[in-house]
Amino acid sequence: MARRSSLSIRIVEGKNLPAKDITGSSDPYCLVKVDNEPVIRTATVWKTLCPFWGEEYQVHLPPTFHAVAFYVMDEDALSRDDVIGKVCFTRDTLASHPKGFSGWVHLTEVDPDEEVQGEIHLRLEVVTRTQAHRLRCSVLEARDLAPKDRNGASDPFVRVRYRGRTQETSIVKKSRYPRWNEIFEFELEEGAPEALCVEAWDWDLVSRNDFLGKVVFNVQRLWAVQQEEGWFRLQPDKSKSRQEEGNLGSLQLEVRLRDETVLPSGCYQPLVQLLCHEVKLGTQGPGQLIPLIEETTSTECRQDVATNLLKIFLGQGLAKDFLDLLFQLELGRTSEANTLFRSNSLASKSMESFLKVAGMRYLHSVLGPIIDKVFEEKKYVELDPSKVEVKDVGCTGLHRPQTEAEVLEHSAQTLRAHLGALLSALSRSVRACPAVVRATFRQLFLRVRERFPSTQHENVPFIAVTSFLCLRFFSPAIMAPKLFHLRERHADARTSRTLLLLAKAVQNVGNMDTPASRAKEAWMEPLQPTVHQGVAQLKDFITKLVDIEEKEELDLQRALSLQAPPLKEGPLFIHKTKGKGPLMSSFKKLHFSLTTEALSFAKTPNSKKSTLIKLSNIRAAEKVEEKSFGSSHVMQVIYTDDAGRPQTAYLQCKCVNELNQWLSALRKVSINNSGLLGSYHPGVFRGDKWSCCHQKDKTGRSSRSQVPAERQTLCSQALLKPLRTHWPSFSRCCRASKRPTGPAQPAPLPWSQTTSWSRRRETCPTLPHQAPCQVLGDSRCALGPSPEFLLPVCRAWVSPGPGELGGPGTGRSRSPELTRLWPVIAHLKSPGRLGSPCSSEAGLAPVAPAAITATSPGSSGTLLSHPARPSQNHRWMAHSQVD
């Protein structure tokens, strides 16, 4: 049984931000930190004080996190980025909103004294000596301190204050994992009301010292326990007054916290078998389970349920059969052809997710060159006469301003060229379309033609296909290419308008150029000849697309299955340690590819690949401190070579999102490896010592006798987190060295890059509408049913009290399928299992706050007990940008 927490985040937009540039504007982006560690970065929106991002992310994190903060930054090319303001939510605040927080929040000033992180190891004792009492404070070490210097490190020392007396430790240079082992004593009088304050500071030679955090102890409570030792979380200094809220602008967010417990895979097998049996029988069987799911699923969680059901059936090789069953159910209750698949039904949501899983590469191959050309040209395009701005056009070769008519004509020519190129690329892409997508569209086409056979409905089968392919897949990707990972940045205002007009034209083609679609916007008339021609091209394309026989489908799938599809690929900068000499500071750019067999690299995407690391040899994948190379977004892959010797490869990513995606992918594929490490150094071994903790033993463990053996680590308690199968892994180190015990972990699932759905959705990034990435990736991958896939389905069925399905008080008799399902639901509903679908946890067995932190009876500080942790249309809910 594994316990997990997840955050569904949608960063919508900002408004009334202050100007940070001399031009009177800003270049804002949003940075998300969990416990002061960056996990997400949005794209930069240039030259605006009211930016729109619309990016969605799904972040999986340990249940022990304390707070999540959203920083709005202003990007600068030549200097450090400016901080505009921040919004911070504590874990308790998020837990108090069962359905999630949604709304505008004022940005507040960022106080350096509140930007603290890390923990300090202290031992406090009350010592009695010949009728005198003394308070002894042993300052042992600290870990994960905030980097306050430009080199990505700090020069920490500790200041201990009691009853007006102050004592300080020595300064440890350039370390975030310092060790002091110094003891201080103070005279102690019984009944004295003063508190003991332990503060950590960063020493600076010229400027004022920077505050790193503090812990305050109630001395009176120490009398009762006499001695106390542990790791204490450093707290911020909140004594300063804040700048008045509202002066820094506002941020619109949607954030939802879920705490869930994932049961062993065996607990879900009866449910999986029942679902598969229902789909295999189709409409010929007596089962009504799938209709029952749709009937009892609320609109808010329908996307969640559709996505997770699709994952299950992809893993069982029944995705096409599942969608075919939904098509038949939808057609059975539809009487008007013009309303077919227009609602947010389970069939529409499932097909939408299916295309993002199985068709993302196909989308990139067709749309990629067209989108790139639009971004490169940056032409001013406008067809609506009421919106034409001649001043934005510039001058012609005759050095005179263009007239409105000239602007409209040039715009129509540009859009006709883009639309024609897109339709031509689509017509040539039949063979590039995945076989499973073609077979699914074939089933849809035949079912609709069977339901509406008359000649007046001859276009309905084609419109049914285009309603998904054009309206729900291609058009959203054209309007928001960043969310479908077609571009790394959002489009500017001019390019966005061009993309919007192009998407409208594609929608008109997808609607088969009906009179209703032409009547909506008469100013689109200049594109009518191209649209009319495109309808004929599109019908010819669909005819060829659905012309696939079962044997051809199997042959294509068999040929593709022989190729190991990359789970993650892209450019990285590599530096690999060799020998005992000093590390070089340069990184070489190569194209990396991660498959189910190895991590390989090549000079270019099309070059011959060379294997760098076999997946079975990976021992850990973790982040590296910024100061180690003077660069951010660096990760280390610790592995053994063919001779069994430990090696480390250092890889630099372009951004924090990319870093988390690679870490998540590497951890997923190596989760079942033998010999996984339990601890690591977040720095590098340079010269004769580690850069993080200054230890000189390159491979040995810490031998501190004061720390229990099970918690000894390589670098000041910097432990490896249990390898998780979720994105992103943002925590640098787990606080317990023991990996969780209990049921065996499920086999690693095939992983595919997440996007900012439509989950990123980024994601999938973890994507726009629900980004295809989190949905899993390639349909050819063999998905084993992972327990967490079933949580939304179970939540939709199991409700507390008399209103549950087929239970007392419903007035509904159970079907045979539901009768067989009932023991599974009853098992999941037992105490400590599934929570109610409307509960604040929205999951299983909520984690009590007491299980996260424990306050020692001898102090007012927070004593970390460090329980073992369990192993990235744009709608809110099941989307994420970064898995």
Side-chain angles (χ1 to χ4, degrees):
M1 183 182 299
R3 181 171 290 172
R4 73 176 191 182
S5 294
S6 62
L7 280 175
S8 298
I9 297 173
R10 186 175 188 227
I11 303 171
V12 186
E13 60 181 322
K15 67 178 181 181
N16 302 328
L17 302 181
K20 290 292 185 178
D21 300 335
I22 58 175
T23 59
S25 184
S26 293
D27 304 313
Y29 66 90
C30 196
L31 185 67
V32 183
K33 295 184 179 182
V34 175
D35 290 343
N36 211 36
E37 181 165 4
V39 297
I40 295 170
R41 185 198 191 277
T42 68
T44 301
V45 182
W46 303 99
K47 299 179 181 179
T48 180
L49 299 180
C50 297
F52 177 83
W53 292 287
E55 299 184 18
E56 301 184 18
Y57 303 84
Q58 187 82 14
V59 184
H60 294 272
L61 60 167
T64 53
F65 85 96
H66 295 84
V68 55
F70 298 81
Y71 293 79
V72 179
M73 311 287 291
D74 168 56
E75 182 170 338
D76 291 324
L78 303 179
S79 62
R80 279 194 170 187
D81 295 348
D82 300 316
V83 181
I84 296 177
K86 77 169 185 177
V87 173
C88 187
F89 295 98
T90 64
R91 194 185 195 288
D92 293 339
T93 300
L94 294 175
S96 65
H97 292 79
K99 296 184 179 180
F101 171 83
S102 178
W104 288 93
V105 188
H106 291 299
L107 295 173
T108 59
E109 181 183 11
V110 176
D111 184 354
D113 288 348
E114 293 188 13
E115 303 301 302
V116 303
Q117 69 182 68
E119 301 147 18
I120 188 169
H121 187 192
L122 302 172
R123 182 170 61 249
L124 305 172
E125 302 173 86
V126 176
V127 181
T128 303
R129 296 179 180 173
T130 61
Q131 299 181 352
H133 299 283
R134 298 184 67 82
L135 175 59
R136 176 181 296 170
C137 177
S138 300
V139 181
L140 304 177
E141 56 187 328
R143 62 185 177 194
D144 200 27
L145 299 179
K148 293 292 186 178
D149 298 337
R150 282 186 170 271
N151 60 10
S154 292
D155 305 315
F157 68 94
V158 173
R159 183 177 294 161
V160 184
R161 294 188 289 107
Y162 180 65
R163 298 189 66 188
R165 184 183 172 193
T166 302
Q167 300 188 57
E168 296 180 352
T169 66
S170 58
I171 299 170
V172 180
K173 295 292 187 69
K174 300 180 181 179
S175 177
R176 295 175 56 213
Y177 296 83
R179 295 186 174 187
W180 293 284
N181 295 326
E182 299 185 26
I183 300 175
F184 305 99
E185 291 190 357
F186 301 88
E187 292 184 2
L188 186 61
E189 295 183 7
E190 188 171 358
E194 288 85 354
L196 175 71
C197 183
V198 180
E199 299 174 344
W201 292 83
D202 167 52
W203 177 82
D204 288 323
L205 178 63
V206 179
S207 59
R208 65 182 290 270
N209 296 334
D210 298 312
F211 181 72
L212 294 176
K214 68 178 181 179
V215 182
V216 179
F217 296 90
N218 186 330
V219 176
Q220 292 302 316
R221 299 176 65 181
L222 282 174
W223 280 94
V225 296
Q226 294 295 303
Q227 181 175 340
E228 179 177 359
E229 179 179 353
W231 285 92
F232 298 89
R233 180 177 176 82
L234 293 171
Q235 302 296 326
D237 183 4
K238 298 184 179 180
S239 59
K240 295 183 180 179
S241 59
R242 287 183 173 273
Q243 180 174 332
E244 183 181 355
E245 292 186 358
N247 296 340
L248 302 177
S250 303
L251 188 64
Q252 186 181 7
L253 299 169
E254 295 175 358
V255 187
R256 184 176 183 180
L257 171 66
R258 281 181 173 174
D259 291 325
E260 298 172 329
T261 296
V262 181
L263 306 177
S265 298
C267 296
Y268 299 93
Q269 288 310 306
L271 178 57
V272 173
Q273 293 169 6
L274 182 59
L275 290 169
C276 293
H277 180 70
E278 173 85 4
V279 168
K280 290 176 182 177
L281 291 177
T283 55
Q284 304 302 319
Q288 296 296 320
L289 184 55
I290 299 299
L292 212 59
I293 293 175
E294 182 165 19
E295 179 185 345
T296 56
T297 301
S298 64
T299 305
E300 291 77 12
C301 66
R302 186 165 294 150
Q303 182 70 73
D304 247 348
V305 172
T307 300
N308 287 283
L309 284 173
L310 182 65
K311 291 178 182 179
I312 294 172
F313 293 119
L314 276 172
Q316 301 296 319
L318 296 172
K320 185 182 72 172
D321 303 274
F322 168 61
L323 292 170
D324 184 38
L325 177 58
L326 294 179
F327 296 154
Q328 295 179 66
L329 294 173
E330 178 94 356
L331 287 166
R333 60 173 176 263
T334 302
S335 57
E336 294 292 334
N338 57 0
T339 62
L340 186 61
F341 299 117
R342 298 294 177 171
S343 64
N344 290 322
S345 63
L346 187 62
S348 299
K349 292 295 184 182
S350 299
M351 190 63 181
E352 193 176 311
S353 297
F354 170 71
L355 289 175
K356 290 169 185 174
V357 173
M360 189 55 60
R361 290 188 182 180
Y362 172 66
L363 175 81
H364 279 233
S365 66
V366 175
L367 283 186
I370 312 298
I371 298 298
D372 290 341
K373 187 175 181 180
V374 173
F375 273 77
E376 290 166 4
E377 290 182 351
K378 293 185 177 180
K379 291 183 178 180
Y380 178 75
V381 176
E382 184 54 73
L383 293 181
D384 188 350
S386 64
K387 295 183 178 180
V388 172
E389 299 179 9
V390 176
K391 64 179 181 180
D392 287 343
V393 179
C395 298
T396 66
L398 299 177
H399 300 284
R400 63 175 179 81
Q402 289 183 330
T403 64
E404 179 180 302
E406 290 174 328
V407 173
L408 295 175
E409 177 59 28
H410 290 166
S411 298
Q413 291 178 1
T414 300
L415 286 173
R416 283 196 291 265
H418 290 321
L419 181 59
L422 193 158
L423 292 171
S424 298
L426 188 63
S427 299
R428 298 190 303 267
S429 67
V430 173
R431 300 293 298 178
C433 186
V436 66
V437 175
R438 293 182 62 186
T440 303
F441 276 131
R442 179 177 182 273
Q443 289 295 107
L444 173 62
F445 188 88
L446 295 177
R447 297 294 184 189
V448 175
R449 188 168 63 181
E450 180 182 306
R451 174 65 178 81
F452 297 99
S454 62
T455 54
Q456 67 180 24
H457 293 140
E458 61 179 354
N459 281 338
V460 174
F462 294 96
I463 294 176
V465 174
T466 59
S467 66
F468 293 113
L469 187 64
C470 295
L471 275 62
R472 292 177 180 263
F473 196 38
F474 278 82
S475 289
I478 293 172
M479 288 189 291
K482 165 68 170 62
L483 301 183
F484 283 76
H485 287 280
L486 288 164
R487 299 290 296 185
E488 293 183 2
R489 296 181 179 273
H490 288 295
D492 56 26
R494 175 174 292 187
T495 305
S496 294
R497 182 60 180 172
T498 303
L499 293 174
L500 177 61
L501 294 174
L502 180 59
K504 286 178 178 290
V506 172
Q507 288 177 350
N508 287 344
V509 175
N511 287 325
M512 297 295 158
D513 193 25
T514 59
S517 63
R518 291 198 302 267
K520 289 182 179 179
E521 293 161 331
W523 43 264
M524 294 284 289
E525 185 65 27
L527 300 182
Q528 206 56 42
T530 307
V531 170
H532 184 71
Q533 181 183 355
V535 170
Q537 287 180 271
L538 190 59
K539 292 178 71 173
D540 181 64
F541 164 74
I542 293 174
T543 302
K544 296 177 181 177
L545 185 73
V546 301
D547 185 19
I548 179 174
E549 298 299 331
E550 185 174 354
K551 183 179 182 302
E552 183 183 358
E553 177 192 354
L554 294 175
D555 291 342
L556 288 173
Q557 288 182 340
R558 190 178 298 111
L560 291 173
S561 65
L562 297 177
Q563 307 172 7
L567 305 178
K568 172 71 177 170
E569 59 182 344
L572 294 174
F573 295 85
I574 181 173
H575 170 80
K576 185 179 178 182
T577 57
K578 295 182 179 179
K580 300 182 179 180
L583 296 176
M584 299 174 60
S585 59
S586 61
F587 284 78
K588 183 178 181 180
K589 185 178 181 180
L590 296 172
H591 185 85
F592 280 80
S593 177
L594 178 66
T595 66
T596 55
E597 299 174 355
L599 177 65
S600 306
F601 67 91
K603 289 186 178 180
T604 65
N606 298 323
S607 302
K608 183 179 179 181
K609 294 180 173 58
S610 301
T611 298
L612 174 64
I613 304 171
K614 295 180 180 178
L615 293 191
S616 58
N617 293 341
I618 293 179
R619 299 294 173 259
E622 292 294 332
K623 294 181 182 179
V624 177
E625 284 186 315
E626 181 178 345
K627 72 165 187 176
S628 301
F629 295 102
S631 302
S632 55
H633 318 314
V634 178
M635 64 178 174
Q636 56 180 319
V637 181
I638 306 171
Y639 65 100
T640 55
D641 57 20
D642 293 337
R645 295 184 298 264
Q647 302 287 348
T648 303
Y650 295 97
L651 305 173
Q652 183 179 15
C653 305
K654 60 185 177 183
C655 65
V656 65
N657 292 1
E658 193 75 11
L659 173 64
N660 284 325
Q661 290 173 23
W662 274 103
L663 285 173
S664 178
L666 288 165
R667 289 168 177 165
K668 286 177 182 178
V669 296
S670 61
I671 190 173
N672 289 333
N673 285 2
S674 60
L676 293 176
L677 300 181
S679 56
Y680 76 107
H681 285 280
V684 296
F685 195 81
R686 180 176 285 112
D688 62 345
K689 62 182 179 181
W690 288 97
S691 63
C692 46
C693 59
H694 300 173
Q695 292 187 67
K696 296 187 177 182
D697 187 353
K698 188 173 182 179
T699 59
R701 282 188 172 275
S702 167
S703 59
R704 291 195 56 81
S705 59
Q706 296 91 337
V707 182
E710 67 272 12
R711 294 182 57 193
Q712 293 177 5
T713 63
L714 290 178
C715 177
S716 299
Q717 303 291 325
L719 308 181
L720 282 174
K721 24 188 180 315
L723 302 183
R724 299 188 297 278
T725 58
H726 308 300
W727 173 96
S729 357
F730 61 82
S731 183
R732 171 172 306 89
C733 49
C734 175
R735 305 309 182 192
S737 59
K738 289 184 177 180
R739 297 189 180 275
T741 58
Q745 296 293 332
L749 299 174
W751 186 91
S752 173
Q753 167 183 347
T754 52
T755 76
S756 164
W757 308 27
S758 54
R759 157 201 153 200
R760 254 169 172 178
R761 292 161 237 295
E762 146 234 5
T763 199
C764 185
T766 21
L767 306 204
H769 276 241
Q770 171 150 343
C773 283
Q774 265 194 339
V775 181
L776 246 273
D778 200 291
S779 60
R780 302 188 300 271
C781 297
L783 296 175
S786 182
E788 62 265 26
F789 293 170
L790 297 163
L791 294 180
V793 182
C794 297
R795 279 197 296 267
W797 292 343
V798 183
S799 58
E804 53 202 13
L805 285 179
T810 60
R812 180 196 305 237
S813 60
R814 303 181 193 166
S815 65
E817 285 71 20
L818 192 56
T819 301
R820 287 189 290 151
L821 173 63
W822 194 251
V824 182
I825 298 180
H827 172 71
L828 295 176
K829 279 207 62 179
S830 60
R833 301 293 186 184
L834 220 64
S836 71
C838 298
S839 66
S840 61
E841 296 79 10
L844 310 180
V847 182
I852 301 170
T853 59
T855 302
S856 168
S859 75
S860 58
T862 301
L863 176 63
L864 301 182
S865 56
H866 306 300
R869 295 180 184 173
S871 38
Q872 114 206 239
N873 118 78
H874 318 293
R875 302 315 308 167
W876 171 238
M877 295 293 296
H879 307 328
S880 121
Q881 185 173 349
V882 228
D883 187 40

